[in-house]
């Protein structure tokens, strides 16, 4: 099994979950919903180059805008850089072909931080405002 839905401001996705290699002909979807914009950071990434892809979309559905498309073998020093959403959700779709499998990927997400820091309240004036709890 793969995929899932998360309603959390932070978390981890590792595929495959139990180590080893992912399977042939996978079609996995993860949806992340948070209270704020999201930053997705890769810890590791290893897929069959130009055959197995992870698509990251800015929004909760397959119709949302693609903001990242990843494939290939990446050593820890060259994993894809952080991906930032403009909305409060992300749709991740992993698809594989019927040949070579690899170790997959691990990523984590957290609230997006701009120059103002966490828990910013958007302001039309462009000034930084915070919600203090």
């Amino acid at each position: 099994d793969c995929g899932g839905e998360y309603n959390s401001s932070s978390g981890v996705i590792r595929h495959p979950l139990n180590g080893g290699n992912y399977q042939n002909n996978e079609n996995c979807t993860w949806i992340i919903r948070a209270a704020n914009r999201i930053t997705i950071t890769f810890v590791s990434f290893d897929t069959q180059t130009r055959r197995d892809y992870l698509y990251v979309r800015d929004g909760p559905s397959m119709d949302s805008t693609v903001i990242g498309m990843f494939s290939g073998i990446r050593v820890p020093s060259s994993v894809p850089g952080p991906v930032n959403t403009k909305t409060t959700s992300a749709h991740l779709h992993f698809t594989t072909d019927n040949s070579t499998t690899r170790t997959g990927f691990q990523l984590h997400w957290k609230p997006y931080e701009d120059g103002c820091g966490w828990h910013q309240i958007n302001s039309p004036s462009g000034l930084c405002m915070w919600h203090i709890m």
Side-chain angles (χ1 to χ4, degrees):
D1 287 338
C2 62
E5 293 195 28
Y6 300 92
N7 294 297
S8 174
S9 61
S10 62
V12 174
I13 294 173
R14 182 176 68 192
H15 185 68
L17 188 59
N18 297 319
N21 287 4
Y22 55 79
Q23 301 296 309
N24 288 320
N25 302 311
E26 286 193 340
N27 188 16
C28 309
T29 299
W30 294 268
I31 298 171
I32 301 169
R33 290 184 177 89
N36 299 298
R37 293 174 60 189
I38 303 164
T39 295
I40 297 169
T41 304
F42 289 91
V43 176
S44 62
F45 195 89
D46 181 13
T47 67
Q48 184 185 14
T49 304
R50 292 189 299 266
R51 298 284 189 255
D52 302 340
Y53 289 93
L54 176 66
Y55 298 89
V56 179
R57 290 178 169 82
D58 188 3
S61 73
M62 286 287 279
D63 295 329
S64 301
T65 303
V66 174
I67 56 174
M69 182 175 83
F70 306 101
S71 180
I73 303 166
R74 310 291 177 103
V75 295
S77 62
S78 68
V79 295
V83 177
N84 298 310
T85 67
K86 293 182 191 253
T87 66
T88 59
S89 58
H91 181 280
L92 287 72
H93 182 232
F94 183 58
T95 181
T96 69
D97 69 0
N98 62 356
S99 61
T100 305
T101 63
R102 302 198 61 86
T103 58
F105 57 89
Q106 181 173 337
L107 60 85
H108 61 85
W109 74 91
K110 66 178 185 176
Y112 168 78
E113 293 181 54
D114 63 9
C116 293
W118 291 8
H119 306 294
Q120 177 189 354
I121 299 171
N122 292 330
S123 168
S125 69
L127 298 174
C128 296
M129 297 171 55
W130 291 268
H131 178 224
I132 300 173
M133 303 163 93

